[in-house]
Amino acid sequence: MARTTKAKEARDVRASLALLWGEQDRPTRGPKPSLTPHRIAEAAVALADAEGLEAVSMNKVAGAFDVSAMALYRYVPGKAELVELMIEAVLAERPDLSVAGDGWRPQLTEWARRSWAVYQAHPWLLAATAMRRQAMGPRQLGWLDAALAALEPTGLTAAQRHQVFLLVVGLIRNLAQQLVDFDAEQDQEWNRLTGELLDRHSDRFPALTKAVAAGAFAPTAEDPLVFGLDRILDGVQTLIDREGPRGG
Amino acid sequence: MARTTKAKEARDVRASLALLWGEQDRPTRGPKPSLTPHRIAEAAVALADAEGLEAVSMNKVAGAFDVSAMALYRYVPGKAELVELMIEAVLAERPDLSVAGDGWRPQLTEWARRSWAVYQAHPWLLAATAMRRQAMGPRQLGWLDAALAALEPTGLTAAQRHQVFLLVVGLIRNLAQQLVDFDAEQDQEWNRLTGELLDRHSDRFPALTKAVAAGAFAPTAEDPLVFGLDRILDGVQTLIDREGPRGG
DNA sequence: AGCTCACTGCTGATGACGTAAACAGTTTAG
DNA sequence: CTAAACTGTTTACGTCATCAGCAGTGAGCT
């Protein structure tokens, strides 16, 4: 059974990659296909934008084309691959960071801003990319390349640049998580219930009680990306300053 | 229908909170219960540790007690609440950070290390906490309080301390995500396939090609927590230095 | 022109999931 | 000792991804 699963997965990796990179040869004989993987992915994206990723079932996506769920399997190996196509579909082409100026910091900031914009426009992207992916499409690689390119002038090692990249991606994904979690009504409920609990147990949670009283959990108008990014990039700057003089 | 759902959710919040805080009054009449929410959560944790969160179905958890799935609903309102109990179950009591010394930085580092250890021991915790939670249990609040307490001597505002906390939690969750994603065999496959792709498209991804060649994606023995935490805390230190003199 | 067969899309079935409903058995308060 | 409260069970429903098998279609070859 494990054997079968593994063989199937291996097949899927190939199929998934061919799909993502558009390297599939189309058939000549038989009826004209009424769909394409791309159109299917677009419909799935529209569905996810409107109702969330959990609403994206093969049935509902197929319904957008008035077609049975099984019809989709003629175009896409399975749901996992469909999700990969959705990810590629919402990513723009490789971002041009030169508009932000010359330094690594403005460029990486620009990268983060654009990346964050994508997650804001498509909050399901977080859950979609959290599913274990075995291959990246050309656009994902393009974004990765742009960020690494921006970091080249820092003088950091390749491994350090990769680490910094991961930190920034991580920051954005965390913001996206907060965005997904957030629900004004529910937030109010949380504050109310947690307030009640803290009243009853303020001795157990003194710092939290003080923080709540000081408004640490009140909604803020500030762009949430700024604080985190400034902290991280300040930290990176410190690293550069420390390593530079020693000839790193 | 939406009405029904909302009413049901409201009921669940109450039930969930009572469960998490152990504030449920136990019945006197009727047969002795053979289970407790706590024991059920423990069994679910064992299952998740062994086979992952997706293996935790009501059926399998019930199977651990040789009981039907529906029996669990006498103790737990539903699966979401069971997951909440699982989260509380794997969290230790409020961590004592004083062992790390006096400064905010060693204490927060200690907090991060312990937190990271929990995620390492129970990788499913990431997915479990990603599900929208409406209430926190006493242990979750305890960890939160400990981190906020460690940040009090920084002189930062309450909102800033909260932001820093979110940054550190985010870092750990990102590491946990990488841990979940990682699969040596699959990683090798990724490197092979991406290598092939880069050979074919090295002009499109020059920075990435260089980075791969320089070993930026090679496995490292270093503790992955250190780099990210040092960057973030350096950035926080920069903020403190900047705000302090101005009388913030 | 006609045949073949790769290809499309369909129906139906399978097994997993969470959980609602209804029922049978058990214990304790009155 | 009866009735209420409680436990655990069986059955059933709706949803999901996906497999197997069938009918129709149309390009390429003879």
Side-chain angles (χ1 to χ4, degrees):
Chain A
M1 183 182 286
R3 181 78 65 93
T4 308
T5 306
K6 192 161 294 178
K8 186 190 155 196
E9 273 173 18
R11 188 174 10 99
D12 283 357
V13 174
R14 290 272 163 214
S16 180
L17 268 180
L19 220 54
L20 282 171
W21 290 78
E23 290 169 344
Q24 38 182 349
D25 31 29
R26 90 206 77 196
T28 61
R29 298 215 264 205
K32 292 275 175 270
S34 68
L35 305 176
T36 63
H38 188 77
R39 291 219 304 146
I40 294 173
E42 278 181 341
V45 165
L47 199 61
D49 285 345
E51 302 180 44
L53 190 62
E54 70 285 354
V56 177
S57 71
M58 297 306 262
N59 234 312
K60 290 216 192 97
V61 175
F65 299 104
D66 278 316
V67 136
S68 82
M70 291 312 292
L72 302 187
Y73 286 87
R74 297 286 176 200
Y75 301 91
V76 162
K79 191 181 177 178
E81 290 77 10
L82 173 56
V83 172
E84 307 252 347
L85 284 177
M86 291 172 66
I87 296 168
E88 279 288 299
V90 296
L91 285 182
E93 285 298 331
R94 176 208 181 86
D96 174 17
L97 306 181
S98 66
V99 299
D102 259 359
W104 64 271
R105 189 159 176 160
Q107 292 209 355
L108 205 56
T109 302
E110 179 69 16
W111 189 95
R113 255 197 266 277
R114 300 228 196 157
S115 186
W116 172 225
V118 178
Y119 279 94
Q120 283 176 295
H122 310 283
W124 51 265
L125 190 56
L126 180 71
T129 48
M131 296 172 175
R132 184 136 68 265
R133 67 195 170 278
Q134 25 215 354
M136 290 168 99
R139 297 189 170 179
Q140 268 188 92
L141 284 190
W143 281 72
L144 170 55
D145 191 77
L148 292 178
L151 281 164
E152 278 184 351
T154 54
L156 297 174
T157 69
Q160 285 173 326
R161 281 178 268 146
H162 181 213
Q163 288 290 316
V164 171
F165 165 77
L166 288 177
L167 275 181
V168 174
V169 177
L171 170 68
I172 289 156
R173 291 180 58 82
N174 288 323
L175 293 176
Q177 178 72 54
Q178 290 166 36
L179 180 68
V180 169
D181 281 349
F182 186 79
D183 173 323
E185 203 176 332
Q186 199 171 281
D187 199 53
Q188 213 173 356
E189 182 79 356
W190 189 92
N191 281 325
R192 207 173 54 73
L193 291 172
T194 309
E196 280 178 25
L197 285 167
L198 284 183
D199 283 348
R200 252 183 297 163
H201 301 100
S202 59
D203 52 325
R204 270 180 80 182
F205 310 109
L208 179 55
T209 304
K210 265 184 278 179
V212 168
F217 294 81
T220 166
E222 199 187 3
D223 180 350
L225 178 62
V226 173
F227 184 88
L229 195 61
D230 281 355
R231 260 2 87 227
I232 290 175
L233 298 188
D234 278 354
V236 172
Q237 184 64 59
T238 303
L239 177 67
I240 294 172
D241 293 345
R242 195 185 302 142
E243 301 248 318
R246 299 192 201 163
Chain B
M1 186 182 285
R3 182 76 64 94
T4 309
T5 305
K6 192 161 292 178
K8 185 190 157 198
E9 272 172 18
R11 187 171 14 99
D12 283 358
V13 174
R14 291 272 163 214
S16 181
L17 268 180
L19 220 54
L20 283 171
W21 289 78
E23 289 170 344
Q24 38 183 347
D25 32 29
R26 90 207 76 195
T28 59
R29 296 214 266 205
K32 292 276 175 269
S34 69
L35 305 175
T36 64
H38 188 77
R39 291 219 306 145
I40 293 173
E42 278 182 340
V45 165
L47 200 59
D49 285 345
E51 303 179 45
L53 189 62
E54 71 283 355
V56 177
S57 70
M58 299 305 264
N59 233 310
K60 290 217 192 96
V61 174
F65 299 104
D66 279 315
V67 135
S68 81
M70 292 310 295
L72 302 187
Y73 287 87
R74 297 286 176 203
Y75 302 92
V76 162
K79 193 182 176 180
E81 290 77 9
L82 172 54
V83 172
E84 306 252 348
L85 284 177
M86 289 172 67
I87 295 168
E88 278 288 300
V90 295
L91 285 180
E93 284 299 330
R94 177 207 180 86
D96 174 17
L97 306 180
S98 67
V99 299
D102 259 359
W104 65 270
R105 189 160 177 159
Q107 290 208 357
L108 204 55
T109 302
E110 179 69 16
W111 189 95
R113 255 197 266 277
R114 300 229 197 156
S115 186
W116 172 226
V118 178
Y119 279 94
Q120 283 176 296
H122 310 284
W124 51 266
L125 190 56
L126 180 69
T129 48
M131 296 170 177
R132 183 136 67 267
R133 67 194 169 282
Q134 25 213 357
M136 291 167 97
R139 296 189 171 181
Q140 266 188 91
L141 284 190
W143 281 72
L144 170 56
D145 192 76
L148 292 178
L151 280 164
E152 279 184 350
T154 54
L156 297 175
T157 69
Q160 284 174 326
R161 280 178 269 147
H162 181 214
Q163 288 290 316
V164 171
F165 166 76
L166 288 178
L167 230 41
V168 174
V169 177
L171 170 68
I172 287 155
R173 291 180 57 85
N174 288 321
L175 293 176
Q177 179 72 54
Q178 291 165 38
L179 181 70
V180 169
D181 281 349
F182 187 78
D183 173 325
E185 203 176 332
Q186 199 172 280
D187 199 53
Q188 212 173 357
E189 182 80 355
W190 189 92
N191 282 325
R192 207 172 54 71
L193 291 172
T194 308
E196 279 178 27
L197 285 168
L198 284 183
D199 284 347
R200 254 184 295 164
H201 302 98
S202 60
D203 51 326
R204 273 180 78 181
F205 310 108
L208 179 55
T209 306
K210 265 186 278 181
V212 169
F217 294 81
T220 165
E222 198 186 3
D223 181 349
L225 179 63
V226 173
F227 184 89
L229 195 61
D230 281 354
R231 258 5 86 223
I232 290 175
L233 298 188
D234 279 354
V236 172
Q237 184 64 59
T238 302
L239 177 67
I240 294 172
D241 293 345
R242 195 184 302 145
E243 303 248 318
R246 296 192 203 164

